PDB file of all heavy atoms in Angstrom:
ATOM      1  N   LEU K 161       0.821  -1.209   0.000  1.00  0.00           N
ATOM      2  CA  LEU K 161       0.000   0.000   0.000  1.00  0.00           C
ATOM      3  C   LEU K 161       0.853   1.257   0.000  1.00  0.00           C
ATOM      4  O   LEU K 161       0.456   2.299  -0.537  1.00  0.00           O
ATOM      5  CB  LEU K 161      -0.953  -0.013   1.198  1.00  0.00           C
ATOM      6  CG  LEU K 161      -2.150  -0.955   1.063  1.00  0.00           C
ATOM      7  CD1 LEU K 161      -2.935  -1.018   2.355  1.00  0.00           C
ATOM      8  CD2 LEU K 161      -3.058  -0.514  -0.087  1.00  0.00           C
ATOM      9  N   THR K 162       2.059   1.189   0.603  1.00  0.00           N
ATOM     10  CA  THR K 162       2.985   2.320   0.533  1.00  0.00           C
ATOM     11  C   THR K 162       3.446   2.534  -0.900  1.00  0.00           C
ATOM     12  O   THR K 162       3.544   3.675  -1.378  1.00  0.00           O
ATOM     13  CB  THR K 162       4.191   2.074   1.451  1.00  0.00           C
ATOM     14  OG1 THR K 162       3.742   1.913   2.785  1.00  0.00           O
ATOM     15  CG2 THR K 162       5.164   3.237   1.394  1.00  0.00           C
ATOM     16  N   SER K 163       3.713   1.443  -1.607  1.00  0.00           N
ATOM     17  CA  SER K 163       4.106   1.535  -3.016  1.00  0.00           C
ATOM     18  C   SER K 163       2.947   2.037  -3.863  1.00  0.00           C
ATOM     19  O   SER K 163       3.145   2.823  -4.799  1.00  0.00           O
ATOM     20  CB  SER K 163       4.574   0.163  -3.512  1.00  0.00           C
ATOM     21  OG  SER K 163       5.684  -0.292  -2.781  1.00  0.00           O
ATOM     22  N   GLN K 164       1.730   1.595  -3.558  1.00  0.00           N
ATOM     23  CA  GLN K 164       0.555   2.071  -4.287  1.00  0.00           C
ATOM     24  C   GLN K 164       0.400   3.581  -4.141  1.00  0.00           C
ATOM     25  O   GLN K 164       0.104   4.282  -5.111  1.00  0.00           O
ATOM     26  CB  GLN K 164      -0.705   1.373  -3.761  1.00  0.00           C
ATOM     27  CG  GLN K 164      -1.982   1.739  -4.504  1.00  0.00           C
ATOM     28  CD  GLN K 164      -3.224   1.185  -3.818  1.00  0.00           C
ATOM     29  OE1 GLN K 164      -3.642   1.679  -2.776  1.00  0.00           O
ATOM     30  NE2 GLN K 164      -3.819   0.146  -4.404  1.00  0.00           N
ATOM     31  N   ALA K 165       0.621   4.088  -2.938  1.00  0.00           N
ATOM     32  CA  ALA K 165       0.484   5.525  -2.697  1.00  0.00           C
ATOM     33  C   ALA K 165       1.436   6.331  -3.567  1.00  0.00           C
ATOM     34  O   ALA K 165       1.088   7.421  -4.046  1.00  0.00           O
ATOM     35  CB  ALA K 165       0.723   5.830  -1.220  1.00  0.00           C
ATOM     36  N   ALA K 166       2.646   5.820  -3.782  1.00  0.00           N
ATOM     37  CA  ALA K 166       3.646   6.554  -4.558  1.00  0.00           C
ATOM     38  C   ALA K 166       3.210   6.763  -6.005  1.00  0.00           C
ATOM     39  O   ALA K 166       3.659   7.717  -6.657  1.00  0.00           O
ATOM     40  CB  ALA K 166       4.982   5.817  -4.518  1.00  0.00           C
ATOM     41  N   THR K 167       2.337   5.902  -6.516  1.00  0.00           N
ATOM     42  CA  THR K 167       1.908   5.997  -7.918  1.00  0.00           C
ATOM     43  C   THR K 167       0.697   6.900  -8.097  1.00  0.00           C
ATOM     44  O   THR K 167       0.190   7.043  -9.214  1.00  0.00           O
ATOM     45  CB  THR K 167       1.577   4.605  -8.476  1.00  0.00           C
ATOM     46  OG1 THR K 167       0.455   4.062  -7.760  1.00  0.00           O
ATOM     47  CG2 THR K 167       2.766   3.667  -8.345  1.00  0.00           C
ATOM     48  N   MET K 168       0.223   7.535  -7.007  1.00  0.00           N
ATOM     49  CA  MET K 168      -0.965   8.381  -7.050  1.00  0.00           C
ATOM     50  C   MET K 168      -0.586   9.841  -6.838  1.00  0.00           C
ATOM     51  O   MET K 168       0.567  10.166  -6.531  1.00  0.00           O
ATOM     52  CB  MET K 168      -1.973   7.908  -5.990  1.00  0.00           C
ATOM     53  CG  MET K 168      -2.345   6.439  -6.146  1.00  0.00           C
ATOM     54  SD  MET K 168      -3.242   5.767  -4.709  1.00  0.00           S
ATOM     55  CE  MET K 168      -4.832   6.552  -4.934  1.00  0.00           C
ATOM     56  N   ARG K 169      -1.555  10.750  -7.000  1.00  0.00           N
ATOM     57  CA  ARG K 169      -1.293  12.171  -6.815  1.00  0.00           C
ATOM     58  C   ARG K 169      -1.095  12.459  -5.330  1.00  0.00           C
ATOM     59  O   ARG K 169      -2.032  12.347  -4.529  1.00  0.00           O
ATOM     60  CB  ARG K 169      -2.452  13.010  -7.356  1.00  0.00           C
ATOM     61  CG  ARG K 169      -2.163  14.509  -7.359  1.00  0.00           C
ATOM     62  CD  ARG K 169      -3.278  15.334  -7.976  1.00  0.00           C
ATOM     63  NE  ARG K 169      -4.451  15.431  -7.105  1.00  0.00           N
ATOM     64  CZ  ARG K 169      -5.613  14.839  -7.342  1.00  0.00           C
ATOM     65  NH1 ARG K 169      -5.763  14.077  -8.423  1.00  0.00           N
ATOM     66  NH2 ARG K 169      -6.627  14.982  -6.509  1.00  0.00           N
ATOM     67  N   LEU K 170       0.115  12.842  -4.946  1.00  0.00           N
ATOM     68  CA  LEU K 170       0.460  13.017  -3.540  1.00  0.00           C
ATOM     69  C   LEU K 170       0.158  14.414  -3.018  1.00  0.00           C
ATOM     70  O   LEU K 170      -0.103  14.594  -1.817  1.00  0.00           O
ATOM     71  CB  LEU K 170       1.941  12.702  -3.319  1.00  0.00           C
ATOM     72  CG  LEU K 170       2.362  11.247  -3.592  1.00  0.00           C
ATOM     73  CD1 LEU K 170       3.874  11.103  -3.480  1.00  0.00           C
ATOM     74  CD2 LEU K 170       1.671  10.296  -2.638  1.00  0.00           C
ATOM     75  N   GLY K 171       0.245  15.421  -3.869  1.00  0.00           N
ATOM     76  CA  GLY K 171      -0.055  16.773  -3.423  1.00  0.00           C
ATOM     77  C   GLY K 171       0.882  17.276  -2.347  1.00  0.00           C
ATOM     78  O   GLY K 171       0.475  18.011  -1.441  1.00  0.00           O
ATOM     79  N   GLY K 172       2.153  16.885  -2.413  1.00  0.00           N
ATOM     80  CA  GLY K 172       3.133  17.331  -1.437  1.00  0.00           C
ATOM     81  C   GLY K 172       3.230  16.468  -0.198  1.00  0.00           C
ATOM     82  O   GLY K 172       4.047  16.735   0.687  1.00  0.00           O
ATOM     83  N   VAL K 173       2.430  15.418  -0.110  1.00  0.00           N
ATOM     84  CA  VAL K 173       2.454  14.518   1.052  1.00  0.00           C
ATOM     85  C   VAL K 173       3.367  13.334   0.737  1.00  0.00           C
ATOM     86  O   VAL K 173       3.216  12.706  -0.323  1.00  0.00           O
ATOM     87  CB  VAL K 173       1.042  14.017   1.388  1.00  0.00           C
ATOM     88  CG1 VAL K 173       1.080  13.062   2.567  1.00  0.00           C
ATOM     89  CG2 VAL K 173       0.121  15.195   1.689  1.00  0.00           C
ATOM     90  N   PRO K 174       4.307  12.975   1.589  1.00  0.00           N
ATOM     91  CA  PRO K 174       5.148  11.797   1.329  1.00  0.00           C
ATOM     92  C   PRO K 174       4.294  10.538   1.174  1.00  0.00           C
ATOM     93  O   PRO K 174       3.301  10.359   1.882  1.00  0.00           O
ATOM     94  CB  PRO K 174       6.033  11.714   2.582  1.00  0.00           C
ATOM     95  CG  PRO K 174       6.046  13.100   3.129  1.00  0.00           C
ATOM     96  CD  PRO K 174       4.684  13.669   2.835  1.00  0.00           C
ATOM     97  N   ASN K 175       4.697   9.668   0.265  1.00  0.00           N
ATOM     98  CA  ASN K 175       3.885   8.474   0.021  1.00  0.00           C
ATOM     99  C   ASN K 175       3.784   7.575   1.241  1.00  0.00           C
ATOM    100  O   ASN K 175       2.775   6.888   1.450  1.00  0.00           O
ATOM    101  CB  ASN K 175       4.465   7.674  -1.159  1.00  0.00           C
ATOM    102  CG  ASN K 175       5.801   7.022  -0.835  1.00  0.00           C
ATOM    103  OD1 ASN K 175       6.741   7.692  -0.393  1.00  0.00           O
ATOM    104  ND2 ASN K 175       5.904   5.717  -1.056  1.00  0.00           N
ATOM    105  N   ASP K 176       4.830   7.570   2.099  1.00  0.00           N
ATOM    106  CA  ASP K 176       4.796   6.691   3.252  1.00  0.00           C
ATOM    107  C   ASP K 176       4.259   7.378   4.508  1.00  0.00           C
ATOM    108  O   ASP K 176       4.414   6.881   5.608  1.00  0.00           O
ATOM    109  CB  ASP K 176       6.175   6.082   3.535  1.00  0.00           C
ATOM    110  CG  ASP K 176       7.316   7.067   3.377  1.00  0.00           C
ATOM    111  OD1 ASP K 176       7.042   8.267   3.205  1.00  0.00           O
ATOM    112  OD2 ASP K 176       8.478   6.629   3.438  1.00  0.00           O
ATOM    113  N   ILE K 177       3.605   8.555   4.329  1.00  0.00           N
ATOM    114  CA  ILE K 177       2.925   9.202   5.450  1.00  0.00           C
ATOM    115  C   ILE K 177       1.481   8.733   5.546  1.00  0.00           C
ATOM    116  O   ILE K 177       0.857   8.775   6.604  1.00  0.00           O
ATOM    117  CB  ILE K 177       2.983  10.742   5.319  1.00  0.00           C
ATOM    118  CG1 ILE K 177       2.812  11.418   6.691  1.00  0.00           C
ATOM    119  CG2 ILE K 177       1.900  11.256   4.387  1.00  0.00           C
ATOM    120  CD1 ILE K 177       3.997  11.345   7.568  1.00  0.00           C
ATOM    121  N   ILE K 178       0.920   8.284   4.423  1.00  0.00           N
ATOM    122  CA  ILE K 178      -0.502   7.929   4.387  1.00  0.00           C
ATOM    123  C   ILE K 178      -0.795   6.729   5.292  1.00  0.00           C
ATOM    124  O   ILE K 178      -1.877   6.629   5.872  1.00  0.00           O
ATOM    125  CB  ILE K 178      -0.940   7.611   2.937  1.00  0.00           C
ATOM    126  CG1 ILE K 178      -0.564   8.777   2.004  1.00  0.00           C
ATOM    127  CG2 ILE K 178      -2.438   7.372   2.873  1.00  0.00           C
ATOM    128  CD1 ILE K 178      -1.176  10.101   2.393  1.00  0.00           C
ATOM    129  N   THR K 179       0.178   5.844   5.442  1.00  0.00           N
ATOM    130  CA  THR K 179      -0.042   4.667   6.284  1.00  0.00           C
ATOM    131  C   THR K 179      -0.362   5.044   7.731  1.00  0.00           C
ATOM    132  O   THR K 179      -0.927   4.244   8.476  1.00  0.00           O
ATOM    133  CB  THR K 179       1.202   3.752   6.238  1.00  0.00           C
ATOM    134  OG1 THR K 179       0.924   2.534   6.939  1.00  0.00           O
ATOM    135  CG2 THR K 179       2.388   4.421   6.900  1.00  0.00           C
ATOM    136  N   ASN K 180      -0.047   6.285   8.116  1.00  0.00           N
ATOM    137  CA  ASN K 180      -0.326   6.733   9.481  1.00  0.00           C
ATOM    138  C   ASN K 180      -1.808   6.956   9.735  1.00  0.00           C
ATOM    139  O   ASN K 180      -2.214   7.182  10.883  1.00  0.00           O
ATOM    140  CB  ASN K 180       0.456   8.003   9.787  1.00  0.00           C
ATOM    141  CG  ASN K 180       1.946   7.752   9.871  1.00  0.00           C
ATOM    142  OD1 ASN K 180       2.435   7.205  10.848  1.00  0.00           O
ATOM    143  ND2 ASN K 180       2.674   8.127   8.830  1.00  0.00           N
ATOM    144  N   LEU K 181      -2.607   6.904   8.706  1.00  0.00           N
ATOM    145  CA  LEU K 181      -4.052   6.948   8.919  1.00  0.00           C
ATOM    146  C   LEU K 181      -4.504   5.756   9.758  1.00  0.00           C
ATOM    147  O   LEU K 181      -5.524   5.844  10.460  1.00  0.00           O
ATOM    148  CB  LEU K 181      -4.785   6.947   7.575  1.00  0.00           C
ATOM    149  CG  LEU K 181      -4.706   8.254   6.775  1.00  0.00           C
ATOM    150  CD1 LEU K 181      -5.268   8.042   5.373  1.00  0.00           C
ATOM    151  CD2 LEU K 181      -5.440   9.376   7.487  1.00  0.00           C
ATOM    152  N   ASN K 182      -3.757   4.653   9.691  1.00  0.00           N
ATOM    153  CA  ASN K 182      -4.123   3.475  10.474  1.00  0.00           C
ATOM    154  C   ASN K 182      -3.986   3.721  11.976  1.00  0.00           C
ATOM    155  O   ASN K 182      -4.968   3.580  12.722  1.00  0.00           O
ATOM    156  CB  ASN K 182      -3.297   2.273  10.028  1.00  0.00           C
ATOM    157  CG  ASN K 182      -3.482   1.072  10.916  1.00  0.00           C
ATOM    158  OD1 ASN K 182      -2.621   0.755  11.742  1.00  0.00           O
ATOM    159  ND2 ASN K 182      -4.605   0.383  10.782  1.00  0.00           N
ATOM    160  N   PRO K 183      -2.807   4.102  12.499  1.00  0.00           N
ATOM    161  CA  PRO K 183      -2.745   4.387  13.931  1.00  0.00           C
ATOM    162  C   PRO K 183      -3.599   5.587  14.334  1.00  0.00           C
ATOM    163  O   PRO K 183      -4.129   5.621  15.452  1.00  0.00           O
ATOM    164  CB  PRO K 183      -1.257   4.653  14.183  1.00  0.00           C
ATOM    165  CG  PRO K 183      -0.675   4.977  12.858  1.00  0.00           C
ATOM    166  CD  PRO K 183      -1.473   4.198  11.868  1.00  0.00           C
ATOM    167  N   PHE K 184      -3.752   6.563  13.440  1.00  0.00           N
ATOM    168  CA  PHE K 184      -4.590   7.715  13.756  1.00  0.00           C
ATOM    169  C   PHE K 184      -6.037   7.269  13.961  1.00  0.00           C
ATOM    170  O   PHE K 184      -6.714   7.723  14.903  1.00  0.00           O
ATOM    171  CB  PHE K 184      -4.501   8.733  12.616  1.00  0.00           C
ATOM    172  CG  PHE K 184      -5.184  10.040  12.927  1.00  0.00           C
ATOM    173  CD1 PHE K 184      -4.643  10.911  13.852  1.00  0.00           C
ATOM    174  CD2 PHE K 184      -6.362  10.390  12.273  1.00  0.00           C
ATOM    175  CE1 PHE K 184      -5.270  12.113  14.134  1.00  0.00           C
ATOM    176  CE2 PHE K 184      -6.995  11.588  12.558  1.00  0.00           C
ATOM    177  CZ  PHE K 184      -6.448  12.459  13.489  1.00  0.00           C
ATOM    178  N   ALA K 185      -6.521   6.368  13.108  1.00  0.00           N
ATOM    179  CA  ALA K 185      -7.878   5.839  13.262  1.00  0.00           C
ATOM    180  C   ALA K 185      -8.024   5.072  14.574  1.00  0.00           C
ATOM    181  O   ALA K 185      -9.051   5.174  15.261  1.00  0.00           O
ATOM    182  CB  ALA K 185      -8.231   4.931  12.076  1.00  0.00           C
ATOM    183  N   LEU K 186      -6.991   4.313  14.944  1.00  0.00           N
ATOM    184  CA  LEU K 186      -7.044   3.553  16.195  1.00  0.00           C
ATOM    185  C   LEU K 186      -7.106   4.475  17.407  1.00  0.00           C
ATOM    186  O   LEU K 186      -7.870   4.227  18.350  1.00  0.00           O
ATOM    187  CB  LEU K 186      -5.826   2.633  16.291  1.00  0.00           C
ATOM    188  CG  LEU K 186      -5.919   1.350  15.476  1.00  0.00           C
ATOM    189  CD1 LEU K 186      -4.539   0.771  15.224  1.00  0.00           C
ATOM    190  CD2 LEU K 186      -6.785   0.335  16.192  1.00  0.00           C
ATOM    191  N   ILE K 187      -6.324   5.551  17.385  1.00  0.00           N
ATOM    192  CA  ILE K 187      -6.320   6.487  18.512  1.00  0.00           C
ATOM    193  C   ILE K 187      -7.703   7.112  18.687  1.00  0.00           C
ATOM    194  O   ILE K 187      -8.164   7.358  19.803  1.00  0.00           O
ATOM    195  CB  ILE K 187      -5.242   7.566  18.306  1.00  0.00           C
ATOM    196  CG1 ILE K 187      -3.845   6.930  18.381  1.00  0.00           C
ATOM    197  CG2 ILE K 187      -5.369   8.686  19.330  1.00  0.00           C
ATOM    198  CD1 ILE K 187      -2.736   7.844  17.917  1.00  0.00           C
ATOM    199  N   ILE K 188      -8.388   7.358  17.580  1.00  0.00           N
ATOM    200  CA  ILE K 188      -9.732   7.947  17.645  1.00  0.00           C
ATOM    201  C   ILE K 188     -10.774   6.916  18.064  1.00  0.00           C
ATOM    202  O   ILE K 188     -11.626   7.169  18.934  1.00  0.00           O
ATOM    203  CB  ILE K 188     -10.116   8.559  16.278  1.00  0.00           C
ATOM    204  CG1 ILE K 188      -9.227   9.767  15.971  1.00  0.00           C
ATOM    205  CG2 ILE K 188     -11.595   8.945  16.251  1.00  0.00           C
ATOM    206  CD1 ILE K 188      -9.449  10.342  14.590  1.00  0.00           C
ATOM    207  N   PHE K 189     -10.713   5.719  17.477  1.00  0.00           N
ATOM    208  CA  PHE K 189     -11.795   4.760  17.646  1.00  0.00           C
ATOM    209  C   PHE K 189     -11.712   3.947  18.934  1.00  0.00           C
ATOM    210  O   PHE K 189     -12.734   3.454  19.413  1.00  0.00           O
ATOM    211  CB  PHE K 189     -11.852   3.817  16.437  1.00  0.00           C
ATOM    212  CG  PHE K 189     -12.529   4.409  15.240  1.00  0.00           C
ATOM    213  CD1 PHE K 189     -11.782   4.782  14.127  1.00  0.00           C
ATOM    214  CD2 PHE K 189     -13.895   4.612  15.221  1.00  0.00           C
ATOM    215  CE1 PHE K 189     -12.384   5.341  13.020  1.00  0.00           C
ATOM    216  CE2 PHE K 189     -14.512   5.166  14.118  1.00  0.00           C
ATOM    217  CZ  PHE K 189     -13.762   5.546  13.003  1.00  0.00           C
ATOM    218  N   ILE K 190     -10.526   3.772  19.513  1.00  0.00           N
ATOM    219  CA  ILE K 190     -10.432   2.974  20.746  1.00  0.00           C
ATOM    220  C   ILE K 190     -11.288   3.567  21.870  1.00  0.00           C
ATOM    221  O   ILE K 190     -12.075   2.855  22.497  1.00  0.00           O
ATOM    222  CB  ILE K 190      -8.964   2.794  21.169  1.00  0.00           C
ATOM    223  CG1 ILE K 190      -8.311   1.701  20.311  1.00  0.00           C
ATOM    224  CG2 ILE K 190      -8.856   2.412  22.642  1.00  0.00           C
ATOM    225  CD1 ILE K 190      -6.830   1.500  20.565  1.00  0.00           C
ATOM    226  N   PRO K 191     -11.189   4.879  22.174  1.00  0.00           N
ATOM    227  CA  PRO K 191     -12.083   5.415  23.205  1.00  0.00           C
ATOM    228  C   PRO K 191     -13.560   5.318  22.830  1.00  0.00           C
ATOM    229  O   PRO K 191     -14.415   5.121  23.700  1.00  0.00           O
ATOM    230  CB  PRO K 191     -11.641   6.884  23.313  1.00  0.00           C
ATOM    231  CG  PRO K 191     -10.247   6.913  22.787  1.00  0.00           C
ATOM    232  CD  PRO K 191     -10.222   5.879  21.709  1.00  0.00           C
ATOM    233  N   ILE K 192     -13.878   5.451  21.538  1.00  0.00           N
ATOM    234  CA  ILE K 192     -15.275   5.344  21.106  1.00  0.00           C
ATOM    235  C   ILE K 192     -15.800   3.937  21.365  1.00  0.00           C
ATOM    236  O   ILE K 192     -16.924   3.760  21.873  1.00  0.00           O
ATOM    237  CB  ILE K 192     -15.393   5.711  19.606  1.00  0.00           C
ATOM    238  CG1 ILE K 192     -15.099   7.198  19.407  1.00  0.00           C
ATOM    239  CG2 ILE K 192     -16.778   5.352  19.071  1.00  0.00           C
ATOM    240  CD1 ILE K 192     -15.052   7.624  17.959  1.00  0.00           C
ATOM    241  N   PHE K 193     -15.007   2.931  21.040  1.00  0.00           N
ATOM    242  CA  PHE K 193     -15.430   1.547  21.289  1.00  0.00           C
ATOM    243  C   PHE K 193     -15.538   1.270  22.788  1.00  0.00           C
ATOM    244  O   PHE K 193     -16.442   0.571  23.236  1.00  0.00           O
ATOM    245  CB  PHE K 193     -14.460   0.571  20.631  1.00  0.00           C
ATOM    246  CG  PHE K 193     -14.772   0.277  19.200  1.00  0.00           C
ATOM    247  CD1 PHE K 193     -14.521   1.215  18.211  1.00  0.00           C
ATOM    248  CD2 PHE K 193     -15.342  -0.932  18.824  1.00  0.00           C
ATOM    249  CE1 PHE K 193     -14.824   0.954  16.889  1.00  0.00           C
ATOM    250  CE2 PHE K 193     -15.649  -1.206  17.501  1.00  0.00           C
ATOM    251  CZ  PHE K 193     -15.389  -0.251  16.522  1.00  0.00           C
ATOM    252  N   ASP K 194     -14.617   1.846  23.562  1.00  0.00           N
ATOM    253  CA  ASP K 194     -14.610   1.621  24.999  1.00  0.00           C
ATOM    254  C   ASP K 194     -15.817   2.263  25.680  1.00  0.00           C
ATOM    255  O   ASP K 194     -16.416   1.674  26.588  1.00  0.00           O
ATOM    256  CB  ASP K 194     -13.312   2.176  25.586  1.00  0.00           C
ATOM    257  CG  ASP K 194     -13.239   2.039  27.090  1.00  0.00           C
ATOM    258  OD1 ASP K 194     -13.651   0.993  27.604  1.00  0.00           O
ATOM    259  OD2 ASP K 194     -12.774   2.984  27.753  1.00  0.00           O
ATOM    260  N   LYS K 195     -16.183   3.461  25.233  1.00  0.00           N
ATOM    261  CA  LYS K 195     -17.222   4.221  25.919  1.00  0.00           C
ATOM    262  C   LYS K 195     -18.619   4.036  25.335  1.00  0.00           C
ATOM    263  O   LYS K 195     -19.615   4.199  26.048  1.00  0.00           O
ATOM    264  CB  LYS K 195     -16.874   5.713  25.891  1.00  0.00           C
ATOM    265  CG  LYS K 195     -15.589   6.071  26.646  1.00  0.00           C
ATOM    266  CD  LYS K 195     -15.766   5.855  28.134  1.00  0.00           C
ATOM    267  CE  LYS K 195     -14.528   6.327  28.892  1.00  0.00           C
ATOM    268  NZ  LYS K 195     -14.676   6.126  30.348  1.00  0.00           N
ATOM    269  N   PHE K 196     -18.706   3.727  24.043  1.00  0.00           N
ATOM    270  CA  PHE K 196     -20.018   3.714  23.409  1.00  0.00           C
ATOM    271  C   PHE K 196     -20.382   2.398  22.721  1.00  0.00           C
ATOM    272  O   PHE K 196     -21.464   1.860  22.936  1.00  0.00           O
ATOM    273  CB  PHE K 196     -20.112   4.864  22.388  1.00  0.00           C
ATOM    274  CG  PHE K 196     -19.882   6.215  22.997  1.00  0.00           C
ATOM    275  CD1 PHE K 196     -18.691   6.890  22.779  1.00  0.00           C
ATOM    276  CD2 PHE K 196     -20.843   6.811  23.799  1.00  0.00           C
ATOM    277  CE1 PHE K 196     -18.455   8.138  23.346  1.00  0.00           C
ATOM    278  CE2 PHE K 196     -20.623   8.055  24.380  1.00  0.00           C
ATOM    279  CZ  PHE K 196     -19.432   8.714  24.150  1.00  0.00           C
ATOM    280  N   VAL K 197     -19.481   1.876  21.866  1.00  0.00           N
ATOM    281  CA  VAL K 197     -19.839   0.716  21.052  1.00  0.00           C
ATOM    282  C   VAL K 197     -20.076  -0.523  21.909  1.00  0.00           C
ATOM    283  O   VAL K 197     -21.151  -1.139  21.845  1.00  0.00           O
ATOM    284  CB  VAL K 197     -18.749   0.437  19.993  1.00  0.00           C
ATOM    285  CG1 VAL K 197     -19.086  -0.840  19.213  1.00  0.00           C
ATOM    286  CG2 VAL K 197     -18.626   1.618  19.039  1.00  0.00           C
ATOM    287  N   TYR K 198     -19.102  -0.905  22.726  1.00  0.00           N
ATOM    288  CA  TYR K 198     -19.259  -2.106  23.545  1.00  0.00           C
ATOM    289  C   TYR K 198     -20.396  -1.981  24.554  1.00  0.00           C
ATOM    290  O   TYR K 198     -21.210  -2.904  24.689  1.00  0.00           O
ATOM    291  CB  TYR K 198     -17.941  -2.436  24.250  1.00  0.00           C
ATOM    292  CG  TYR K 198     -16.865  -2.978  23.328  1.00  0.00           C
ATOM    293  CD1 TYR K 198     -15.519  -2.848  23.648  1.00  0.00           C
ATOM    294  CD2 TYR K 198     -17.185  -3.616  22.129  1.00  0.00           C
ATOM    295  CE1 TYR K 198     -14.525  -3.346  22.814  1.00  0.00           C
ATOM    296  CE2 TYR K 198     -16.200  -4.107  21.289  1.00  0.00           C
ATOM    297  CZ  TYR K 198     -14.864  -3.969  21.627  1.00  0.00           C
ATOM    298  OH  TYR K 198     -13.885  -4.465  20.799  1.00  0.00           O
TER     299      TYR K 198
END
């Protein structure tokens, strides 16, 4: 997926920065699951 990102329009964003959406999503969703979903 890091290699896939490099072949797309980056708009000044490093191709290997996009993978950080994964931990960013976890930081947001863990409290939501703890407090609301479960």
Side-chain angles (χ1 to χ4, degrees):
L161 285 173
T162 300
S163 299
Q164 183 188 73
T167 64
M168 304 168 73
R169 187 176 74 250
L170 296 174
V173 179
N175 69 306
D176 41 9
I177 203 75
I178 306 301
T179 186
N180 291 285
L181 287 171
N182 172 257
F184 188 71
L186 281 159
I187 293 168
I188 293 174
F189 280 108
I190 281 176
I192 292 174
F193 274 74
D194 178 41
K195 296 293 185 180
F196 302 106
V197 176
Y198 288 155

